[in-house]
Amino acid sequence: MHKILRKTPLSPDVVQFEVEAPLIYNSWRPGNFIIFRIHEEGERVPLTIADSNPGNKSITIIAQGIGKTTKHLNTLNEGDYIQDIIGPLGNPTHIEKFGTAVVMGGGVGTAEAYPIAKALKEAGNKMYAIIGARTKELVIMEKELQGIGVDVRVSTDDGSHGHKGLVTEVLQQLIDEGVKVDFVLAIGPLPMMRAVSELTGKQNITTMVSLNSIMVDGTGMCGACRVTVDGKTKFVCVDGPEFDGHKVDYKELGQRQRIYVDQEKESMERFIHKGGRCQ
Amino acid sequence: MSADENKLNIKERYQIPTQKMIEQDPGERSRNFKQVNLGYTEELAIQEARRCIQCPKPSCVPGCPVEINIPAFIDLIARLDFIGAAKKLKESNSLPAVCGRVCPQEKQCQGPCVVGKKAPPVAIGHLERFAADYEIEHGGQEKIELPPPTGKKAAIVGAGPGGLSAAGDLAKMGHKVTVFDALHKPGGVLQYGIPEFRLPKEIVRIEIEALERLGVEIICNALIGKCKTLDQLFAEGYDSIFIGTGAGLPNFMGIPGENLNGVYSANEFLTRSNLMKAYLFPQYDTPIVRGKNVAVVGGGDSAMDAVRTAKRLGAERAIIVYRRSFKEMPARAEEKHHAEEEGVEFMTLINPVQFIGDEKGWVKRMECLKMELGEPDSSGRRRPVPVEGSNFFIEVDTVIIAVGNSTNPLLTMATPDIKVNKWGNIEVDPVTQATSKPGVYAGGDIVRGGATVILAMGDGKKAARAMHEYMMKKKS
C-alpha cells in the first residue's frame, strides 16, 4: 500500500501526486516509469516518474484523467492509498551533452518531460522546452521548467497563451531563428510525436519519442506493448519506452492503442454511473 | 470402510479398478471458470490408494523431482489417516494441492509406476490432491515444528513454484527467508499462467499462506535488478540468494501481421484472464478480447490453457493449430483430453505463415501451410516440413501465439557476473543449482528455458539444500 502524501492539481484534469514508494524513490532515473493498480479489482496502468523526495521516500507521478483508472486516481486525496506501485520500469533516458536540446511536451507529457529536461540541462546542454496544450489553463510545468533555466516556448490551440497553433510550428520557428538543434525529445499524444518526428526527420535532427502503449505487467512478460521500430517488433516496457522517433510505425501503434476502446467506454460509463467512485 | 480392509495381497490390489476423478460435465464447464476436476471422495481415494502395491524399491519416487515418499503417503490414505498423508507430502513438497492438480504425472511419478505395467498406474496425482485438499478443508493446518533459527537470511527472487519450493525448504531448516516478486500477487505462473478452472487461485493463496506461517516473508511489486541489485541484497545482510524469475519474454513467430489487433501472446491472454481477472470484466477493470473464432498456435500446456479460456469467454470456434501431430503435442495428456471434450478443434500438421487484417488493423484471417513429418530433430520428435503449395486460410478474429518464451534479461543484465548461455539462460551446477556468482543459486525456467512447475520446484529443493550448506559454512 502506497500512501498519497500530497495532491496538487496542475490543471482541471491533470493532477500531481507525491506518493510513498520506498523501493523506487532512490533507484529511479529520468525516463523510468511505474505501473500502478489502485485497488483489488483495478487494472495496471503505466505512468512516468516525474520526481522524487528522498526525505519522504516518495516519488511524484502526474496523471491526466482520460480513462476510468486515471479519472479514479485523480479523485483520490492526501492520506488515501494506492494498492500497488511497481518500478522503476523501462530504460532511463540516454543523457549526454548533445549541444542544444529541445524537449517537447504535449498535455500531461510536459510533466514527464520535466525530469528529462532537468537531467539534460545538468549534463550541460543548452535547453529549450516547447510545451503545448488546448488552452491556457491546461498549460503545466511552465514555471518549473523556467526555474531550472530552460527557455520555454508555449503554444495553445486557441492562442490563449503563447503561439496559436501546434508545437511543431514553434519548433520550426526556433529553427528559423537560427538555433541549431542537435537533439529533440517528444512526449505527448501520438499524433504530436509523429508530427514532430516528421519535421525533424526532414532536418536530420536526432529525435527520441517516449511511447505510452497498453501494458499489463510492464516487465517484458506479456508483449501487450509491442511496437514496430525500424521493421522489428520491440516491447515498449523493456526495450523502451524511448525510441528513435524516425523509425516508429505510428499507424500500427495508433491502431493498437484502440484495441479496448469499447470496453474502456463501458468501464467509464459504469464509473460515472457510480458517481465517480468505485465501490 | 475401515482400515482393516487394507489387508490385501498384491493380487487383490491389482484387481481393484482405477478410480476415476469426478469431473464437471464438459458442456457445462466449457461455459464457466469453475474447476474441471472436482476431486476424489474419501471412498474413491481409499480404493485408489489400495491399488498401490507398496514396492520395496519404489520406482515412482525417483520420478518425483521433489522426492515425495509416495508409497508412504499413499499407505496413510489407505489407512484412512488423511491428515497424516498430507503431512507426509508437506515434508518434501511445499505445494501439494498445486502439484496434485498441475504436475504431468504421466511423465513423472506415474510413468515408472510398477502397477502401470499391467494395469493403469496408481493415480498418484489424484491422491496427492485428495490428501492436500482434505487438510485444507478439515483445518489440519497446525503449525509445523521448526528447528531453532540459524540466524541466516536467504533472499528468493521470484515467487513462482521454484522460489516457493526453495523458500519452504529453507524455512524448514531454520533460515529467515524473504521472497521478492515483481507482480502484485505471489505465485508466478500459478497466478498469471494457469487458469482458475485448472488451479483455483484460492488454493494458491492457501498454500502460500502456509509458507508464510513457516515464517517466509513475501514482498510483492519488487522488481529485483531494477529497484535493487543482488549486491544490494547481500549488503542488506542476505547470506544467499535464489533466482527463480521464470520464463520472461513471449516468443512470437516472426511472420507478417503478428502485431495486428486481436493477436495475443499466450502470456498476455492468460495474464489478463488469470492474474487480472479479465474474465470478470467489467467487475474487474482489465479488458480482454472475447473472440468468436479463436486460433491458438502451439501445442503445450499454455496453448491448452489459452484455447480452453477462449472457449469459456464465449468462442464459437476455438482451434488449436499445431505444426506437428497430436501425438507430439507436449501438453499434459489430461489437458488435451479435457480440451477435446470441451469442443476444442485440433488442426494438426498446420503452421501459420501470415495474419491478415481488416482496414482498422484487426486480424480477420490467417494463412496456413500444411506440414508433413520428416526426420527426427534434436528433440527426438519428427521435424515438421511444409508441403509446397498447400496454402489455405482460416477465418479468425483472435489469435493467441503459444510457442514458448525466451529469457527475460532484466535481472541478468543488471548482474553481469552471473554467467548465462547463448539463449540468456543462467548456467548452473546441475547438483547444487549454483550460479557463477558466489552465494547465488538459480532454478526453474530462467535456467531451463521452458519447463514445468514440478521441475522448477525440484530445482528449488536442490538449491535450498546447497544454500543451507553454503550459509552454514559462511562466517558472518
Side-chain angles (χ1 to χ4, degrees), chain A residues 232-254:
Chain A
K232 294 189 188 74
T233 293
K234 298 281 178 189
F235 288 6
V236 173
C237 66
V238 289
D239 299 318
E242 289 166 19
F243 294 95
D244 183 338
H246 302 140
K247 294 180 175 166
V248 171
D249 183 340
Y250 292 99
K251 180 169 179 253
E252 179 189 273
L253 185 57

Side-chain angles (χ1 to χ4, degrees), chain A residues 23 37 40-41 44 68 84 86 88-90 219-222 224 226 228 233 252 255-256 259-260 263, chain B residues 182 184-185 221 223 226-227 248-250 258-259 261 263-265 267-268 271-272 281 283 285 288 408:
Chain A
L23 290 174
R37 191 177 73 128
E40 189 54 35
E41 293 172 358
R44 292 169 66 102
K68 182 222 167 160
D84 301 294
I86 176 181
L89 300 170
T219 65
M221 195 190 75
C222 83
R226 60 198 192 276
T228 302
T233 293
E252 179 189 273
Q255 285 168 350
R256 289 188 63 78
I259 295 178
Y260 300 107
Q263 289 96 324
Chain B
H184 56 258
K185 279 205 168 86
N221 296 316
L223 183 58
K226 284 279 188 184
C227 70
L249 310 169
E258 273 186 307
N259 293 346
N261 290 358
V263 181
Y264 282 108
S265 73
N267 275 4
E268 182 187 353
T271 301
R272 282 182 182 274
F281 179 89
Q283 185 200 336
D285 288 337
I288 195 165
N408 190 323

Side-chain angles (χ1 to χ4, degrees), chain A:
Chain A
M1 297 292 268
H2 301 260
K3 192 177 182 181
I4 295 170
L5 303 176
R6 190 188 300 263
K7 177 182 183 179
T8 317
L10 299 184
S11 79
D13 60 351
V14 177
V15 181
Q16 173 175 303
F17 292 98
E18 182 186 342
V19 55
E20 284 177 345
L23 290 174
I24 306 170
Y25 78 93
N26 61 353
S27 56
W28 78 287
R29 305 251 305 280
N32 282 143
F33 62 94
I34 55 110
I35 281 184
F36 72 97
R37 191 177 73 128
I38 298 175
H39 57 87
E40 189 54 35
E41 293 172 358
E43 60 183 335
R44 292 169 66 102
V45 174
L47 277 183
T48 303
I49 304 170
D51 209 344
S52 60
N53 180 352
N56 289 339
K57 297 189 175 181
S58 65
I59 57 168
T60 300
I61 51 176
I62 298 169
Q64 182 168 18
I66 300 170
K68 182 222 167 160
T69 298
T70 43
K71 279 209 189 296
H72 183 196
L73 178 69
N74 288 355
T75 66
L76 299 183
N77 291 308
E78 289 174 9
D80 289 344
Y81 287 85
I82 297 171
Q83 185 161 325
D84 301 294
I85 296 181
I86 176 181
L89 300 170
N91 297 299
T93 306
H94 173 72
I95 302 291
E96 66 168 77
K97 189 174 175 183
F98 296 99
T100 299
V102 180
V103 294
M104 306 194 51
V108 72
T110 305
E112 299 165 358
Y114 169 76
I116 298 168
K118 196 170 156 190
L120 285 166
K121 176 81 188 166
E122 282 162 8
N125 290 285
K126 167 108 182 78
M127 284 305 301
Y128 292 87
I130 302 173
I131 60 180
R134 281 202 317 278
T135 185
K136 184 179 178 181
E137 61 175 354
L138 300 178
V139 174
I140 57 171
M141 306 302 280
E142 186 182 358
K143 284 202 181 71
E144 287 82 351
L145 284 161
Q146 283 166 344
I148 56 170
V150 175
D151 185 336
V152 183
R153 314 282 173 104
V154 178
S155 79
T156 47
D157 293 355
D158 60 3
S160 55
H161 185 31
H163 172 80
K164 180 176 191 297
L166 303 171
V167 284
T168 42
E169 291 159 3
V170 181
L171 177 63
Q172 187 60 55
Q173 283 171 8
L174 198 66
I175 293 165
D176 293 343
E177 283 170 25
V179 176
K180 189 188 159 293
V181 176
D182 299 297
F183 177 74
V184 169
L185 182 121
I187 308 181
L190 210 53
M192 170 259 186
M193 293 193 285
R194 180 183 205 160
V196 168
S197 298
E198 274 167 14
L199 171 64
T200 59
K202 286 179 205 143
Q203 326 229 7
N204 274 328
I205 301 169
T206 304
T207 301
M208 298 297 280
V209 291
S210 179
L211 302 182
N212 184 4
S213 52
I214 294 172
M215 292 185 188
V216 185
D217 66 289
T219 65
M221 195 190 75
C222 83
C225 63
R226 60 198 192 276
V227 56
T228 302
V229 181
D230 205 12
K232 294 189 188 74
T233 293
K234 298 281 178 189
F235 288 6
V236 173
C237 66
V238 289
D239 299 318
E242 289 166 19
F243 294 95
D244 183 338
H246 302 140
K247 294 180 175 166
V248 171
D249 183 340
Y250 292 99
K251 180 169 179 253
E252 179 189 273
L253 185 57
Q255 285 168 350
R256 289 188 63 78
Q257 286 186 340
R258 294 182 53 79
I259 295 178
Y260 300 107
V261 74
D262 293 339
Q263 289 96 324
E264 282 161 10
K265 214 174 129 199
E266 186 182 345
S267 262
M268 183 68 94
E269 277 162 10
R270 257 173 71 97
F271 180 63
I272 291 165
H273 185 69
K274 284 184 181 173
R277 282 255 162 224
C278 276
Q279 304 305 317

Side-chain angles (χ1 to χ4, degrees), chain B residues 43-336:
Chain B
E43 288 70 26
L44 292 175
I46 294 162
Q47 281 301 327
E48 187 64 27
R50 287 176 179 172
R51 296 183 64 236
C52 174
I53 58 172
Q54 296 291 321
C55 304
K57 277 189 189 162
S59 52
C60 51
V61 178
C64 175
V66 295
E67 305 161 16
I68 293 172
N69 188 339
I70 293 166
F73 101 80
I74 292 182
D75 187 48
L76 286 162
I77 294 176
R79 292 167 190 277
L80 280 55
D81 181 2
F82 308 135
I83 295 283
K87 290 207 181 334
K88 182 57 71 183
L89 284 166
K90 282 206 167 165
E91 280 175 15
S92 40
N93 183 355
S94 293
L95 309 169
V98 169
C99 290
R101 287 172 168 79
V102 306
C103 273
Q105 287 94 4
E106 73 268 19
K107 290 178 194 159
Q108 304 288 343
C109 51
Q110 292 175 199
C113 170
V114 171
V115 173
K117 285 179 185 143
K118 290 187 198 161
V122 176
I124 301 168
H126 293 348
L127 290 170
E128 180 179 27
R129 171 182 163 155
F130 167 78
D133 283 4
Y134 186 93
E135 191 195 31
I136 289 170
E137 281 158 30
H138 294 81
Q141 304 235 0
E142 64 237 48
K143 219 171 164 148
I144 292 180
E145 286 289 316
L146 292 174
T150 59
K152 305 288 182 183
K153 279 169 69 180
I156 311 283
V157 184
L164 293 174
S165 166
D169 281 14
L170 286 163
K172 281 185 258 177
M173 294 173 200
H175 304 297
K176 177 87 194 74
V177 184
T178 308
V179 184
F180 298 93
D181 199 273
L183 291 175
H184 56 258
K185 279 205 168 86
V189 73
L190 311 175
Q191 193 67 253
Y192 73 76
I194 304 178
E196 181 77 14
F197 56 83
R198 206 149 75 78
L199 177 63
K201 301 310 137 203
E202 183 63 6
I203 293 287
V204 178
R205 187 186 64 78
I206 288 169
E207 296 219 307
I208 291 175
E209 264 182 22
L211 289 173
E212 289 177 311
R213 279 201 302 278
L214 294 176
V216 172
E217 181 191 17
I218 297 177
I219 299 177
C220 286
N221 296 316
L223 183 58
I224 302 299
K226 284 279 188 184
C227 70
K228 275 178 194 176
T229 62
L230 296 190
D231 287 328
Q232 279 172 302
L233 289 177
F234 280 127
E236 286 176 14
Y238 289 99
D239 299 291
S240 71
I241 299 172
F242 175 80
I243 304 172
T245 48
L249 310 169
N251 290 341
F252 288 90
M253 305 183 71
I255 61 176
E258 273 186 307
N259 293 346
L260 286 167
N261 290 358
V263 181
Y264 282 108
S265 73
N267 275 4
E268 182 187 353
F269 189 73
L270 291 170
T271 301
R272 282 182 182 274
S273 183
N274 301 333
L275 175 72
M276 304 310 298
K277 305 232 180 298
Y279 68 93
L280 298 174
F281 179 89
Q283 185 200 336
Y284 281 72
D285 288 337
T286 303
I288 195 165
V289 174
R290 290 173 175 255
K292 290 285 163 228
N293 292 298
V294 183
V296 178
V297 184
D301 285 328
S302 297
M304 297 305 142
D305 286 342
V307 79
R308 295 171 70 197
T309 298
K311 189 87 195 164
R312 283 159 173 77
L313 288 171
E316 285 157 15
R317 251 190 120 184
I319 316 165
I320 285 280
V321 175
Y322 183 57
R323 64 195 184 121
R324 301 180 200 249
S325 71
F326 189 80
K327 196 176 64 166
E328 274 113 357
M329 280 186 191
R332 281 178 86 210
E334 186 179 50
E335 309 315 327
K336 290 195 272 184

